[in-house]
Amino acid sequence: MTTPLLEITNLHANIEGKEILKGVNLTVMPGEVHSIMGPNGSGKSTLASVIAGHEAYEVTDGSIRFNGIDLLELEADQRACAGVFLAFQYPVEIPGVSTKFFLKAAVNAIRKYRGEEELDAMDFLDMVEEKAESVSLSIDLLDRNVNEGFSGGEKKRAEVFQMAMLDPLLGVLDETDSGLDIDALKIVAEGVNKLRSKKRGFIVITHYQRLLDFIVPDFVHVLKDGVIVKSGDKSLALELEEKGYAGIESCGSACSCS
Amino acid sequence: MMTMNIDNSIFKTLHKNEAWMYTNVSALSNVDFSTTTEVDFTEIKKYDIAQDNPFVVFVNGAFQEGYSRLEEGISINSDTVGDIGSRSDSLIPRGDSDTVTITGNQNKTVHILQIITGDTPASCFGNVLVHAAQDESISLAETHIAVTDQNHVFMPCTEVVAEQKSNVTIVRSIRGSKEAYHLGSLHVTQHESSTVQTHTITLGGKRVRNEVYAYLDGEHCESNFDGMYMLGKDQLVDNHLRVEHNEPNGNSREFYKGVLDENARSVFTGRIYVKEDAHQTDAKQTNQNILLSDDADVSARPQLEIYADDVLCTHGATTGEIDEEAMLYLRTRGIPKDAARTLLIYAFLNESLDELTDDSFRSVLVEELLSNLPGGEFIRALYL
Ligand SMILES: Nc1ncnc2c1ncn2[C@@H]1O[C@H](COP(=O)(O)OP(=O)(O)OP(=O)(O)O)[C@@H](O)[C@H]1O
Ligand SMILES: [Mg+2]
């Protein structure tokens, strides 16, 4: 039997004493793409942050296993090295740190952890050029400080570019489509699709069914008030688009149609 | 004469003055500076970091002609002490040591090296007079470095006169031993449409007082006074500035930032004085600190004295810890905690060094910063 890539069981998490995740269950097998949708404030980014290892969130119950290991035992940087990547909903600007040097540090930290040789400057630059091209990211951006002064779309593209550089097993994309124009959306989706493989899995958080036309998910889940209230295939996203979340809820609890 | 003898009783009571309240240098009053010691002159070569540039070397306060490279416009006088210093209320003692006078266009940065070395405490004054005539431009880098761990004291006094449309840049770095005292001052007089920038970089010393007095005596002066410091155990820096806008349309900017580890302390006092009729003055003052330890401490005192209308004066002081969101972002990319922290500290401080236009001086200071920074090797390897 294949080991699940990610296995979240009864996950409860707090921030500043307030419970946000109230028993999330989710299993992602290698090669699968899962989409998570849900109203604003339902806990989607919280789930992504907890997976990535954000220390401000306190896990009060449940477990997360990643590729056979207890993910909650690892710190954020160890999780990244183990193969977790989070594309942030709001990528952080870091003044004074050039994107190129930051990425070199990241790539080599991960390679070191995996027992691979660190890249020298030449190999690193070759890799940068190749991966930047895959998401049509202008190389010039990489001489700037991390995310500083990037447009909304450039930030999102840069996140996908980083993901390509770091070669994770699990990519969590938190609203990577928001702020992208339609052409950029296609480019980014193509970049993600190129990374799809038998071994790699994705969690794609989005509000819009449109993205899922390009990155076709195997499963769609609806997260509401800290729990997954409904799961289905791609057609669930279409249904949501039509009826909204309220429609889904009435269907779940007091459904009169047989 | 290798060592200047000074009347050190003044140090005993200095901190009783309001302007010195955080900076106690009374330990100096018991130090005997009169012993002369053997000096290792090979040290000089190591600090001659720009060998194509004019070079003026003092060892324990004594001018070293043989090691110096004086070019046109640079001279050593034993009798000249500038007089604009008398305009300030500085309490730092002034000595009648040799004065370096710099005039004419000096586009290759003039390097003045003040080394204190030896096994007994030594003191040195370092008087420098910079006179930029109309349209001239002068770049000066001062390195003050204590090689040995003693109660050495530096009391450098640099006076700048920037005539109409001239441009003067001064980089003063305090490096080396973390036991030395440094009580330095810069006195700047600016005339119409002149531009002056000073960078005061504190990476060494036990008690470091950096005074800047600036008099914008002409219209349309541009003044940038920057400072950076990275301090650890038992170190204190006291940046003390007074910027006087005496004529309209002047722009001044004070931008000081630093990182304090262990029980290090930073004091920042910035007085901006705007004379009546000095309209359209634009004066900004910022002091930013990152504290790496609960024992570190900051006192920031902006002091605005404004007698003109139509003036823009802003001041801001921030004291914080390392940005947690930035830390998390770096760590989610696989960068370990310590390395992420080092990277962010370096980024914060290097922003100041990036302002230095002369590469050879900048890279030496980057190196010194990295050697002071825990985990600095990581950055060095990264930026190779
Ligand atoms: N630091 C915090 N302190 C208190 N509450 C917080 C904090 N961070 C998030 N929350 C709350 O947690 C809840 C879930 O937020 P989260 O960002 O996970 O929602 P989301 O589903 O990603 O929403 P969106 O679709 O708007 O991105 C919200 O009610 C939010 O206000
Ligand atoms: Mg969100």
Side-chain angles (χ1 to χ4, degrees):
Chain A
M1 217 185 80
T2 339
T3 320
L5 184 57
L6 186 75
E7 196 174 15
I8 299 176
T9 314
N10 187 33
L11 184 69
H12 289 253
N14 289 357
I15 182 135
E16 287 166 17
K18 184 171 146 204
E19 183 165 65
I20 308 292
L21 299 182
K22 303 171 180 172
V24 173
N25 293 295
L26 178 68
T27 300
V28 178
M29 298 302 287
E32 290 178 353
V33 174
H34 289 243
S35 172
I36 297 182
M37 304 182 86
N40 294 129
S42 57
K44 303 181 297 299
S45 295
T46 301
L47 178 61
S49 298
V50 171
I51 294 171
H54 197 311
E55 283 161 6
Y57 296 89
E58 187 200 355
V59 174
T60 52
D61 201 3
S63 66
I64 307 180
R65 292 192 73 76
F66 175 72
N67 210 17
I69 55 171
D70 180 356
L71 196 65
L72 297 177
E73 283 292 302
L74 303 185
E75 307 224 342
D77 47 289
Q78 297 169 316
R79 294 184 196 193
C81 290
V84 173
F85 182 89
L86 169 62
F88 282 64
Q89 181 173 3
Y90 304 109
V92 182
E93 299 194 4
I94 310 183
V97 178
S98 113
T99 308
K100 226 176 234 163
F101 289 121
F102 150 70
L103 266 177
K104 193 173 162 211
V107 168
N108 282 333
I110 290 177
R111 291 178 74 92
K112 200 167 148 191
Y113 182 94
R114 294 177 185 166
E116 295 165 5
E117 214 172 302
E118 295 188 16
L119 288 182
D120 66 21
M122 285 299 285
D123 291 341
F124 173 74
L125 285 179
D126 286 348
M127 184 171 166
V128 163
E129 278 178 27
E130 183 201 321
K131 306 292 184 192
E133 211 184 291
S134 74
V135 285
S136 308
L137 188 76
S138 154
I139 292 277
D140 298 345
L141 275 186
L142 306 178
D143 289 325
R144 289 211 228 141
N145 293 330
V146 178
N147 293 317
E148 203 178 40
F150 287 24
S151 76
E154 285 168 344
K155 278 183 186 161
K156 298 302 173 87
R157 236 186 271 195
E159 292 289 287
V160 176
F161 160 70
Q162 286 182 29
M163 179 165 70
M165 290 291 292
L166 300 183
D167 192 25
L169 284 173
L170 175 70
V172 180
L173 309 181
D174 192 356
E175 294 196 28
T176 302
D177 54 336
S178 65
L180 291 181
D181 63 51
I182 186 72
D183 293 337
L185 182 73
K186 279 187 200 160
I187 290 166
V188 163
E190 245 169 65
V192 173
N193 285 332
K194 273 184 220 155
L195 294 174
R196 286 180 78 159
S197 76
K198 277 208 281 282
K199 285 205 293 201
R200 209 185 321 257
F202 288 93
I203 294 176
V204 179
I205 297 171
T206 182
H207 284 292
Y208 304 105
Q209 125 77 19
R210 192 177 61 176
L211 176 70
L212 306 180
D213 285 339
F214 300 110
I215 305 176
V216 182
D218 300 295
F219 299 95
V220 174
H221 310 276
V222 180
L223 187 71
K224 226 181 140 184
D225 195 20
V227 284
I228 288 178
V229 293
K230 188 154 185 161
S231 298
D233 63 10
K234 189 182 173 289
S235 63
L236 177 57
L238 286 167
E239 197 184 324
L240 285 170
E241 185 104 319
E242 220 174 280
K243 298 184 187 161
Y245 296 114
I248 287 298
E249 184 190 39
S250 63
C251 218
S253 50
C255 190
S256 58
C257 59
S258 57
Chain B
M1 179 180 59
M2 299 304 296
T3 303
M4 245 54 65
N5 204 4
I6 53 171
D7 170 16
N8 45 15
S9 61
I10 167 109
F11 301 124
K12 195 176 235 152
T13 52
L14 221 38
H15 61 279
K16 304 228 161 105
N17 295 283
E18 208 259 337
W20 283 76
M21 59 189 283
Y22 297 107
T23 305
N24 188 329
V25 294
S26 58
L28 286 176
S29 60
N30 304 319
V31 177
D32 176 11
F33 294 107
S34 62
T35 323
T36 56
T37 49
E38 285 296 309
V39 163
D40 177 8
F41 286 99
T42 57
E43 292 281 352
I44 294 175
K45 286 244 160 0
K46 203 160 96 192
Y47 300 112
D48 186 5
I49 51 186
Q51 299 191 356
D52 293 333
N53 293 28
F55 190 40
V56 189
V57 186
F58 290 79
V59 176
N60 291 12
F63 174 56
Q64 306 298 322
E65 191 168 8
Y67 292 91
S68 300
R69 294 183 296 273
L70 302 188
E71 287 175 21
E72 204 185 322
I74 306 170
S75 59
I76 310 296
N77 321 69
S78 53
D79 49 355
T80 332
V81 175
D83 60 2
I84 66 166
S86 58
R87 229 172 133 174
S88 80
D89 54 4
S90 175
L91 295 171
I92 299 171
R94 306 218 34 199
D96 53 356
S97 69
D98 288 334
T99 297
V100 185
T101 303
I102 304 172
T103 56
N105 271 313
Q106 301 288 350
N107 293 321
K108 264 199 228 162
T109 303
V110 180
H111 186 197
I112 298 183
L113 175 64
Q114 292 275 3
I115 297 185
I116 299 189
T117 182
D119 299 329
T120 56
S123 66
C124 82
F125 295 99
N127 293 328
V128 179
L129 206 58
V130 176
H131 189 142
Q134 183 168 346
D135 295 314
E136 286 179 346
S137 140
I138 295 180
S139 170
L140 165 68
E142 298 179 6
T143 303
H144 302 270
I145 188 155
V147 177
T148 49
D149 289 336
Q150 294 286 338
N151 284 326
H152 299 310
V153 60
F154 293 86
M155 285 172 285
C157 175
T158 295
E159 301 184 10
V160 177
V161 178
E163 307 265 17
Q164 264 188 47
K165 295 188 201 146
S166 65
N167 189 327
V168 176
T169 300
I170 297 179
V171 178
R172 172 177 281 186
S173 57
I174 293 108
R175 302 172 45 196
S177 168
K178 294 174 176 45
E179 296 296 329
Y181 290 73
H182 181 102
L183 314 176
S185 59
L186 287 167
H187 305 264
V188 177
T189 305
Q190 286 188 245
H191 299 285
E192 195 191 321
S193 302
S194 61
T195 304
V196 171
Q197 44 270 315
T198 67
H199 305 270
T200 308
I201 316 286
T202 306
L203 295 169
K206 183 187 183 72
R207 297 275 177 279
V208 179
R209 167 94 165 183
N210 298 314
E211 297 182 352
V212 176
Y213 299 93
Y215 309 97
L216 282 61
D217 287 348
E219 283 200 50
H220 299 287
C221 291
E222 287 286 333
S223 319
N224 279 293
F225 307 106
D226 285 7
M228 185 271 255
Y229 41 94
M230 162 85 218
L231 303 178
K233 196 167 183 333
D234 295 334
Q235 292 181 282
L236 174 147
V237 68
D238 178 350
N239 287 298
H240 187 93
L241 295 92
R242 178 184 174 92
V243 176
E244 269 188 26
H245 284 263
N246 293 322
E247 292 291 332
N249 296 303
N251 287 330
S252 70
R253 194 182 78 128
E254 297 161 42
F255 191 56
Y256 280 67
K257 52 159 54 179
V259 172
L260 306 172
D261 202 355
E262 308 215 38
N263 61 348
R265 177 153 205 186
S266 158
V267 180
F268 177 86
T269 309
R271 182 174 291 263
I272 296 173
Y273 168 92
V274 182
K275 198 174 172 181
E276 58 201 285
D277 301 332
H279 303 306
Q280 309 286 334
T281 287
D282 186 346
K284 283 197 192 67
Q285 182 186 90
T286 313
N287 179 221
Q288 298 177 340
N289 293 282
I290 291 182
L291 274 50
L292 301 180
S293 135
D294 290 341
D295 296 331
D297 193 25
V298 170
S299 318
R301 303 190 291 176
Q303 300 174 336
L304 305 181
E305 240 184 286
I306 299 167
Y307 301 104
D309 312 318
D310 198 9
V311 163
L312 202 65
C313 278
T314 58
H315 63 86
T318 59
T319 297
E321 291 161 17
I322 290 185
D323 180 353
E324 284 303 322
E325 288 303 314
M327 273 291 280
L328 179 85
Y329 190 80
L330 294 173
R331 294 183 67 202
T332 60
R333 271 50 178 151
I335 300 172
K337 195 175 198 163
D338 287 349
R341 195 168 127 111
T342 303
L343 194 57
L344 292 177
I345 297 169
Y346 176 72
F348 175 72
L349 294 175
N350 191 46
E351 226 175 19
S352 283
L353 295 181
D354 262 347
E355 298 282 315
L356 308 186
T357 46
D358 192 310
D359 278 346
S360 36
F361 291 94
R362 187 173 44 80
S363 55
V364 163
L365 292 172
V366 166
E367 267 305 310
E368 179 118 356
L369 169 61
L370 290 180
S371 54
N372 278 9
L373 200 63
E377 324 77 56
F378 160 72
I379 307 288
R380 202 175 280 131
L382 189 61
Y383 283 72
L384 262 182

